Amino acid sequence: MESALYYVTIALGMSIIVNLILKRFGISQIIGYILTGVTVAYAFDLRHMSDSHTLEMIAEFGVVFLMFTIGLEVSLQRLSTMKTDVFFNGSLQVLLSSVIFFAIAYWGFGISLESALITSMALSLSSTAVVLSYLKSTKEIARPYGQKATGILIFQDIAVIPILILIGFLSSNGKDIGDVLLQTAISAVVIVGSLFIVGKRVMSWLLHFSSSSEVDELFMGSVLVIVVASSLLASYAGFTYSLGAFVAGMIIAETRYHHKVEADIAPFKDLLLGTFFVTVGMKIDLALFTSHFFEILAILGAVLAVKAVVIFSVIRIHSQSKIAFKTAIALAQVGEFSFAIFALAGNYRLIPEELSQLLVLVAVLSIILTPFILTYLATISGYFFKDVSVTETFAMLPGRHNHIIVCGYGIVGKFVAKELRASGVDYVVADNSYKHVQEALRDHQEVYFGDMSKSAILDKLCTKDSVSVIITLDNLEKKRLICESIIRYAPEVKLVVKVVSLEEKRELRGLPITITIDGKKEVASRLVSEALTCEL
């Protein structure tokens, strides 16, 4: 056990250097962890440790914290606002992809029933870690295709739980199928019910007690206790550790400690998840990769093509072709949870070792390609859909509260947006100029194309739930129309307006504007202030 931990620690130290190098090329840190695992395994001749129970437990702990953070994202309130994207698009994508992959594996290649079933479901999943991190960092998550992708990823993450349960069911040799299913259903209801009814009260009390103590270590310790206790409870009932952690995350997502918990465990989650990917790298057989190189590429191409077609067809039901295309390309890869599924299935001897290794290599290659594909996604979609506006469609902002709306992306609007971003403030930009919207998109701003004098646009921007609206336009007539519309639609919202002259200020005087900023007056005051502070 000590030797396994020793080498994993070395690998994590090496991965820091590797990830610093890969970050310059825009490559996901997941790839850095996997490459480090491969390097350490072959540099220290650790191939004999690939089946180590200690390594499996370390990897499981990383998956537990990943499922906990996913549970934090999947609150019941959020699910209710994304019903179509999560339950319709997500379930249809997973079902159709699994059926097609199962048919190809079982009837096309003659793989056993258990192997084909597990393989098909694992390949239907996409990479939450890679795709969501990209969407969040670039603010593409608020774009229409970003919301569709997020909805499908949420359902896929939920689907992991029954897949892991199914693996446990398939491994129960000699037991009656009806008894196993009945026992599983009863246990699931008892565990989930206990965690939601009793566990919610205990978790809320524990978090309240630890947060009121104002000792950060105590709060962090409470979170760790909740995760570990929930995981052990689920394991005791015969389920995976991940199920307990996921439900615990969902429960905390309903409390006011949600954001603090998510922020506090982020470094630990990334580190523990890194150990999982390091152990995946330690299990990769490079000899198998070189000897089956063309087969792996062929499988990779087929998987990407099938998933892209399925996702495009599903999203196209309720959305434009360009949105469906971008969502399909973004989610075509094989997800990191396939590693956990293949590893668990391999431990139960439900899938041949060589097939498991081939599929892991396919998943690794698809994840390596994903960051590059996402970076050039707009260019790729523009090549196929030149006649479609880059603004796509006006997306709703479900659940957006306490944000600032910047009206106009001209010279002043750009500076305002830059200052808000530097301050870490939640904001969106709206402009009725196609040129300005294109500029904002190139600057990776969350921008929407529309006229804010229209109540429909104000509704889509969640103006009533915003903190304030900053109007940076120069045209006085447009400025007055927008101010009047906002005052009628959301009279309680703070209205900050830029004026360029005393005449403009007099024209707007009759409106209940919170603050008017005279650009020339502010410049004059700043000039005098700087002059008086100069040393002669």
Side-chain angles (χ1 to χ4, degrees), residues 141-246:
I141 195 169
R143 307 274 295 158
Y145 90 90
Q147 293 181 25
K148 304 295 181 187
T150 301
I152 291 177
L153 287 171
I154 288 174
F155 183 85
Q156 289 179 355
D157 294 334
I158 297 173
V160 170
I161 299 301
I163 292 174
L164 295 176
I165 293 174
L166 177 64
I167 292 174
F169 159 70
L170 292 175
S171 66
S172 57
N173 296 322
K175 294 185 179 180
D176 182 70
I177 295 178
D179 292 341
V180 173
L181 289 176
L182 180 61
Q183 183 181 357
T184 301
I186 293 173
S187 299
V189 171
V190 171
I191 291 299
V192 175
S194 300
L195 286 172
F196 265 100
I197 297 172
V198 180
K200 186 174 183 179
R201 295 178 181 273
V202 175
M203 291 179 197
S204 298
W205 174 84
L206 186 59
L207 292 174
H208 172 72
F209 172 76
S210 57
S211 62
S212 61
S213 68
E214 297 184 357
V215 179
D216 291 338
E217 292 81 2
L218 184 59
F219 186 84
M220 189 67 242
S222 301
V223 175
L224 291 174
V225 168
I226 289 172
V227 175
V228 173
S230 302
S231 301
L232 289 174
L233 181 63
S235 177
Y236 180 76
F239 297 102
T240 63
Y241 294 110
S242 304
L243 174 62
F246 178 78

Side-chain angles (χ1 to χ4, degrees), residues 306-318:
V306 169
K307 288 187 72 175
V309 170
V310 169
I311 295 171
F312 178 85
S313 303
V314 170
I315 301 299
R316 187 64 185 86
I317 296 174
H318 293 119

Side-chain angles (χ1 to χ4, degrees), residues 79-92:
L79 287 178
S80 66
T81 62
M82 301 177 66
K83 292 190 287 288
T84 301
D85 292 337
V86 175
F87 297 108
F88 180 80
N89 293 343
S91 60
L92 197 56

Side-chain angles (χ1 to χ4, degrees), residues 257-283:
Y257 305 104
H258 166 212
H259 297 293
K260 179 172 174 56
V261 170
E262 191 172 19
D264 285 356
I265 69 164
F268 299 94
K269 183 262 294 184
D270 292 338
L271 184 62
L272 291 168
L273 188 59
T275 63
F276 169 70
F277 289 115
V278 165
T279 58
V280 169
M282 294 176 73
K283 294 182 178 183

